[in-house]
Amino acid sequence: MADEPATLVVPADEIAARVSELGAALSRDYEGRRPLLVAVLVGSLPFLSDLVRAIDIPIEVDFLGLSRFGEGGRIRIALDTAESVEGRHVVIVEDIIDTGLTLTVLRRMLEERGAASVATATLVDKTRRRLVDVPIEYRGFEVGDEYLIGYGLDWKGHYRNLDSLWAVLDMERLVEDPAALHDQFYPTQVERRH
Ligand code: 5GP
């Protein structure tokens, strides 16, 4: 459908296959170390949910909520982990790495808190938009510059529950009306715009 405002980038079955591979790699690399997976809320939740079930060694899961301010990448912890990361082998679980600024701050913070090791698993990597060089040990997919939605990724809180990854073609429309893609993605929904 050429006139649709969003286009499919990664279908659900390809996401599932890749997440299985990442789970197998983590299981192999962290055997005997019971890693602490720290998921960055909210966008990483579908990825986390599938990833943990693809891991076949003992693990623990925790959550971190961040607030971002402006363009400068300044971040603040809005919700801290329940567990201490001291002495733990931490795997940050992220939805998408863009400039890399958030991840850089987060890695430094976890290292300062005494984590035994810190690695990152991200579903999506926008490699070309990187502003800072930051290591990414487990990467699902490399993508271009487009704004992505679905499988956890949102626009103003919408579209997180799509099972595939989509690129927004008409960003202006979405800026004007965050629900502009509801007709494409939720066709049976009787629209109540709020
Ligand atoms: P950065 O790497 O620039 O510090 O920021 C990464 C964050 O920017 C992600 O966690 C996500 O919240 C947001 N982000 C970057 N690119 C996209 C995108 O294409 N789609 C969505 N939904 N969020 C994005």
Side-chain angles (χ1 to χ4, degrees):
M1 281 181 263
D3 60 347
E4 295 289 22
T7 187
L8 185 63
V9 175
V10 190
D13 58 344
E14 281 180 33
I15 296 176
R18 185 72 188 118
V19 173
S20 292
E21 289 173 2
L22 294 178
L26 283 159
S27 305
R28 195 175 56 236
D29 296 350
Y30 283 88
E31 197 171 1
R33 290 197 286 169
R34 200 164 60 95
L36 178 65
L37 273 62
V38 174
V40 182
L41 295 170
V42 174
S44 67
L45 287 187
F47 178 41
L48 175 79
S49 169
D50 289 338
L51 185 65
V52 293
R53 287 175 288 170
I55 296 175
D56 59 5
I57 60 164
I59 60 160
E60 274 187 87
V61 176
D62 213 329
F63 298 95
L64 199 62
L66 302 176
S67 309
R68 292 190 181 81
F69 300 98
E71 292 288 298
R74 279 179 53 208
I75 65 166
R76 188 179 67 81
I77 293 180
L79 178 80
D80 213 337
T81 56
E83 293 291 319
S84 165
V85 300
E86 198 178 344
R88 300 300 305 267
H89 294 284
V90 173
V91 180
I92 299 167
V93 179
E94 263 284 23
D95 48 6
I96 188 164
I97 309 299
D98 186 22
T99 62
L101 292 168
T102 309
L103 183 62
T104 302
V105 173
L106 196 52
R107 285 187 79 116
R108 193 179 310 140
M109 187 197 84
L110 293 166
E111 279 159 9
E112 279 169 9
R113 288 180 172 190
S117 67
V118 180
T120 301
T122 187
L123 180 75
V124 178
D125 186 2
K126 284 182 161 175
T127 327
R128 293 208 300 261
R129 285 181 44 90
R130 196 73 85 253
L131 292 179
V132 284
D133 194 18
V134 60
I136 297 175
E137 289 78 3
Y138 304 91
R139 168 190 289 113
F141 301 96
E142 273 190 50
V143 297
D145 297 349
E146 306 95 342
Y147 192 85
L148 300 185
I149 53 171
Y151 197 72
L153 293 168
D154 75 317
W155 173 253
K156 308 275 184 211
H158 298 247
Y159 313 112
R160 289 196 199 278
N161 61 332
L162 308 178
D163 64 0
S164 306
L165 282 167
W166 297 75
V168 176
L169 299 176
D170 189 349
M171 207 57 212
E172 271 173 36
R173 236 178 104 185
L174 217 53
V175 169
E176 209 172 281
D177 176 12
L181 304 187
H182 282 202
D183 290 347
Q184 179 176 353
F185 290 121
Y186 312 113
T188 59
Q189 165 77 28
V190 177
E191 201 58 82
R192 288 184 302 274
R193 303 244 160 164
H194 57 242

